[in-house]
Amino acid sequence: MSNYPRDEFDRVPESSARQGVHRARLEPPKSGGLALLITVGAIVLLIGAAAYFLFPSLGGSGDTEPAATETSQQAEADSAEDPAGDGQSADTAEATDASEEAVDNDAATTAAAEPTSGSASPTPSPETAAVDKSTGVVVLNATGVPGLAGNVTNRLSTDGWVVTFTGNWNGQAQPSSVIFYNGEEQLANAEALAAQLGIGRLVDTSALGQPLTVVLGPGFQ
């Protein structure tokens, strides 16, 4: 028992349901809503996990077949457009044919240019065939050394040349020995004389009126 004196608040019937303002009615906790939320959340997580693992594989297998069909159709279209039938385009086939034709033409040209085995020997060069030692040769001495023109005449006559005149040079002084020839038809004869006598100068002129004229200049041996 309390030692405090009783007041008006202590005079409450025992069966009265009235409570004081300072007391709260005790009510049982409502746990049913929280359990429902937890259950729904777990179901949602399970559905998401199943969709993550199952749907990508199903989608991938579904995309493979259309892609393969499209590739097959594209290959059939390319084959229909390609008349060569070996996977090459028409331009590539034409370029290949042109290259093969060019190679065949080159081979034919090379074969035509090469001499056939057992054929006749080549004809002599025009220079060798055109040398005519019966053509008249004039020998003139421009050195002042007596008898030089005669010695050269003997050498040429021994070799088969026909010397028509031997004497001294009365024209313009020459810096060295020279062979005058009259026209291109005498060029081969002039070259043959130059090789035999060791003369390096050849002059084409008709002023002397002779087919071949040898002028022995300074230093001639």
Side-chain angles (χ1 to χ4, degrees):
M1 291 294 294
S2 174
N3 295 324
Y4 294 99
R6 294 178 62 85
D7 54 18
E8 58 181 318
F9 296 101
D10 294 329
R11 292 192 294 273
V12 178
E14 294 294 336
S15 62
S16 174
R18 195 179 74 179
Q19 298 179 354
V21 294
H22 61 282
R23 296 178 183 177
R25 178 176 295 180
L26 297 179
E27 295 181 358
K30 297 179 180 181
S31 59
L34 179 60
L36 179 61
L37 291 177
I38 293 175
T39 302
V40 173
I43 294 173
V44 171
L45 290 177
L46 291 176
I47 295 174
Y52 178 78
F53 288 105
L54 295 179
F55 288 172
S57 59
L58 294 177
S61 61
D63 295 341
T64 302
E65 184 176 357
T69 304
E70 181 179 357
T71 303
S72 177
Q73 294 176 353
Q74 183 65 29
E76 292 178 357
D78 293 340
S79 299
E81 294 177 358
D82 185 7
D86 56 357
Q88 297 179 341
S89 64
D91 294 339
T92 304
E94 292 179 1
T96 303
D97 295 340
S99 300
E100 293 178 354
E101 183 177 357
V103 171
D104 294 339
N105 292 337
D106 292 341
T109 302
T110 303
E114 294 179 354
T116 306
S117 175
S119 61
S121 59
T123 58
S125 62
E127 178 181 346
T128 303
V131 173
D132 183 9
K133 293 184 178 182
S134 65
T135 303
V137 180
V138 175
V139 180
L140 302 175
N141 184 3
T143 65
V145 178
L148 185 59
N151 293 335
V152 172
T153 297
N154 293 333
R155 289 168 56 182
L156 294 178
S157 298
T158 302
D159 193 53
W161 291 94
V162 176
V163 179
T164 59
F165 181 81
T166 301
N168 294 324
W169 170 253
N170 295 323
Q172 185 178 1
Q174 297 295 323
S176 62
S177 299
V178 59
I179 297 178
F180 296 101
Y181 64 96
N182 189 357
E184 291 294 329
E185 63 274 9
Q186 297 298 331
L187 177 59
N189 293 331
E191 290 177 345
L193 286 171
Q196 183 177 352
L197 300 176
I199 297 176
R201 289 176 61 203
L202 300 176
V203 177
D204 183 4
T205 179
S206 61
L208 300 179
Q210 299 292 331
L212 296 168
T213 300
V214 179
V215 179
L216 306 177
F220 179 79
Q221 299 294 330

